[in-house]
Amino acid sequence: MSGREFYAQDSSARASWRLAVLMGRNSRTYKFALGQALLEFGRTGQEEVPLAELAAAYSLGLVRHLGQDPQAPQKKKLGETDFLTVAEQERAATLDAGQPTERLLAAAVRSMPAMVMQKFHNLRGDSAVPHTFYELAGTGRQRVVRLAPHLLRLAQSEQVSSLAAELDARWRIVESSFAAGVGRSLVEEGVTVDWDTLKITDKRRRRSVTGVVAATVGFQHGRCLICGDVLTPGDAVAVDHVFPFSLMRRFGSVGSWRGPDLDALWNLAPAHTSCNGAKSDRLPTSAELARLAARNEAIMQSPHPLCRTLQLSLQGGGPSRNMPSWMEFLGAVRTAA
């Protein structure tokens, strides 16, 4: 699924935001730090933010992540004046003070316009998201960031907590890829799901990365896979086995299940707890399969390791090998069931 196809399912500013955050390729995590800062200021309703104030929130957010995982591919050698080098050197003092040091703030103000702000709206190739969320105006110390009405509405909507959680989940997934030492290349093992915690786990390091709901719900446009309605912050949310896990037990009693692992990411989708309970052990409807196929195709356009995980399922885990599309894969599973 291309970015254009993803946006066509929901032609809103919210979909543009998710395109930028979830489906852009990231050689560093700067986009996430900027997105976090934009939501923070958008919540206040400010229409203009001095660049230095945005840079302070941006650099503080990034420094807080630096102590957990790398923020860029490890194979890339960083120079002494590189922003990440400065951030690492100033990390302890910044965290002690709860605000960036003068040196770190100056480095952020200097680097942000060209390094991340010109690129936030860009997708792969020459395309960009349909909505823009800010513009940079002024010169020198008078530079300001004008927050677009689209951003202000998003940041003050009831879905902002979900958007913030999706951003944080994507940030942690990209960090996990960098920590594996592979940069943009494939994470061969992909990821797995720990059902005791409902966390996505990095197979290589055996460490929880982020929650299943936060990692996947944005690719469903924040909607329940079963009823198609929006999942609001007050809703009870479950992780649904789209093809019920009971299929594996049922076939096990008479022979063996010949289909793929139904506990894997391709078959797991956020849904209202009430919808999930009413669905019980029935097979998915055609509409649910279409939504799941679209969701999985969207994940395939995201950076590894989520993309790689679904590649492995599509290529080798179906009733027959190397299924060419998710609709064919899901149709084959339904036939096997």
Side-chain angles (χ1 to χ4, degrees):
M1 173 179 288
S2 67
R4 183 174 297 176
E5 290 169 324
F6 180 84
Y7 178 75
Q9 296 178 52
D10 177 4
S11 55
S12 66
R14 187 170 51 247
S16 287
W17 178 269
R18 284 178 164 137
L19 265 176
V21 170
L22 299 178
M23 297 173 67
R25 285 199 175 274
N26 304 289
S27 60
R28 297 189 179 193
T29 62
Y30 297 153
K31 172 182 288 188
F32 308 121
L34 176 58
Q36 186 181 72
L38 288 170
L39 289 179
E40 179 181 324
F41 279 98
R43 286 187 181 101
T44 70
Q46 289 179 249
E47 295 183 2
E48 288 192 354
V49 180
L51 176 60
E53 290 187 21
L54 188 71
Y58 162 85
S59 53
L60 184 58
L62 194 138
V63 160
R64 285 172 173 158
H65 273 253
L66 263 175
Q68 304 165 30
D69 276 311
Q71 302 300 299
Q74 292 180 301
K75 292 181 180 179
K76 186 171 182 179
K77 185 174 178 60
L78 303 179
E80 279 302 308
T81 60
D82 189 284
F83 178 71
L84 281 182
T85 300
V86 176
E88 185 60 53
Q89 292 170 349
E90 300 296 314
R91 182 168 70 89
T94 293
L95 293 177
D96 285 345
Q99 61 185 19
T101 64
E102 289 186 13
R103 180 175 176 237
L104 178 58
L105 182 59
V109 169
R110 183 174 60 250
S111 63
M112 280 178 69
M115 186 173 64
V116 61
M117 297 193 74
Q118 288 184 5
K119 301 175 182 178
F120 184 85
H121 299 107
N122 294 348
L123 299 174
R124 285 184 292 179
D126 296 325
S127 62
V129 297
H131 296 81
T132 56
F133 298 102
Y134 57 82
E135 63 177 12
L136 197 57
T139 58
R141 294 185 178 182
Q142 305 305 313
R143 299 192 92 172
V144 298
V145 181
R146 292 178 180 155
L147 305 185
H150 304 305
L151 175 67
L152 296 175
R153 284 193 291 269
L154 277 181
Q156 295 171 54
S157 71
E158 64 175 6
Q159 280 209 299
V160 67
S161 59
S162 298
L163 295 175
E166 291 167 22
L167 185 151
D168 187 63
R170 172 57 55 195
W171 195 338
R172 294 180 188 283
I173 289 166
V174 172
E175 287 174 340
S176 179
S177 180
F178 293 161
V182 295
R184 292 186 180 183
S185 64
L186 301 184
V187 177
E188 292 299 330
E189 299 91 342
V191 295
T192 189
V193 174
D194 180 347
W195 270 92
D196 290 334
T197 62
L198 283 182
K199 295 279 189 180
I200 287 175
T201 300
D202 178 345
K203 282 188 175 181
R204 184 168 295 190
R205 295 185 298 158
R206 308 297 176 189
R207 197 190 78 171
S208 291
V209 176
T210 190
V212 174
V213 172
T216 58
V217 71
F219 295 109
Q220 299 174 197
H221 294 279
R223 295 178 178 274
C224 171
L225 192 100
I226 297 172
C227 73
D229 288 344
V230 172
L231 294 165
T232 63
D235 292 337
V237 178
V239 176
D240 178 52
H241 284 86
V242 183
F243 283 95
F245 187 76
S246 60
L247 284 173
M248 298 179 75
R249 293 194 298 269
R250 193 183 312 158
F251 276 79
S253 66
V254 296
S256 63
W257 166 244
R258 298 180 180 274
D261 181 5
L262 299 181
D263 251 348
L265 189 65
W266 68 269
N267 189 46
L268 305 178
H272 292 110
T273 298
S274 57
C275 293
N276 178 243
K279 174 174 174 275
S280 188
D281 287 345
R282 69 163 171 80
L283 290 174
T285 65
S286 296
E288 290 161 4
L289 288 186
R291 292 186 193 115
L292 181 62
R295 194 285 304 271
N296 285 349
E297 287 169 5
I299 291 177
M300 295 281 281
Q301 297 302 312
S302 69
H304 296 289
L306 286 193
C307 174
R308 179 56 176 168
T309 302
L310 293 202
Q311 284 178 341
L312 291 169
S313 294
L314 193 62
Q315 293 170 3
S320 60
R321 299 291 176 180
N322 293 314
M323 305 298 293
S325 74
W326 277 106
M327 278 309 298
E328 289 191 57
F329 178 99
L330 299 176
V333 177
R334 182 160 58 179
T335 299

